Amino acid sequence: MTREDLLLIDSRIRTLGVIAGWLALLLIACVTLSPIQDRPSLAGAQLERFVAFATMGLAFVLGYPRRTLLIVLFVVGSAFMLEAMQLLTPDRHGRLIDAIVKAAGGTCGIATGRLVLLYLRGKIERLRARAEQSAG
């Protein structure tokens, strides 16, 4: 695997992360602020909240790998902001416990993303070392 191949893979992971992160945020915002009867339900509400924000956090870390602190602030902030925005809708209710579950999910997704990046970096370094040994 050449350096160009590795850069292409890295670029594709970042692009996919950026797109998935913003789409996840858009979907979460729509579901959070839509009328309660329009809210899809696949599992328990707390599990859905946790997984949705974990997915968003993971995607954003893969998309913006050098912006972890900013992503933490953004994901946790959006958890609390979206929950607070529910207070503006007549049929929804914003609750602190829901915001905490969302923030915890986002934080776990971010941590998982950082672990994935560490794993990929190690894998890339091993491939690069093998390529250098083969060439030299």
Side-chain angles (χ1 to χ4, degrees):
M1 193 170 267
T2 67
R3 179 170 171 74
E4 290 78 26
D5 293 336
L6 296 173
L7 290 173
L8 181 62
I9 291 169
D10 182 57
S11 173
R12 287 186 178 167
I13 289 171
R14 285 183 188 202
T15 300
L16 181 63
V18 168
I19 292 168
W22 288 109
L23 284 176
L25 178 61
L26 179 65
L27 181 63
I28 289 168
C30 288
V31 168
T32 300
L33 300 174
S34 67
I36 193 74
Q37 68 271 12
D38 295 341
R39 185 185 171 281
S41 181
L42 302 171
Q46 296 295 27
L47 178 61
E48 289 173 349
R49 290 178 182 105
F50 186 92
V51 170
F53 272 80
T55 301
M56 182 175 67
L58 171 66
F60 275 134
V61 164
L62 294 179
Y64 302 102
R66 293 187 179 101
R67 305 275 188 247
T68 304
L69 180 60
L70 186 61
I71 293 166
V72 169
L73 294 173
F74 180 75
V75 169
V76 171
S78 35
F80 283 90
M81 180 67 71
L82 285 169
E83 206 59 35
M85 288 175 70
Q86 283 187 0
L87 298 173
L88 303 175
T89 62
D91 66 333
R92 300 300 295 262
H93 56 278
R95 297 184 332 176
L96 181 60
I97 188 66
D98 295 345
I100 291 170
V101 168
K102 290 174 180 181
T107 304
C108 286
I110 292 166
T112 301
R114 293 303 307 167
L115 290 174
V116 167
L117 289 172
L118 283 172
Y119 172 78
L120 291 175
R121 246 185 235 133
K123 193 109 169 134
I124 288 170
E125 289 302 319
R126 286 191 295 279
L127 288 170
R128 186 175 293 146
R130 273 193 218 146
E132 288 173 0
Q133 286 178 345
S134 298

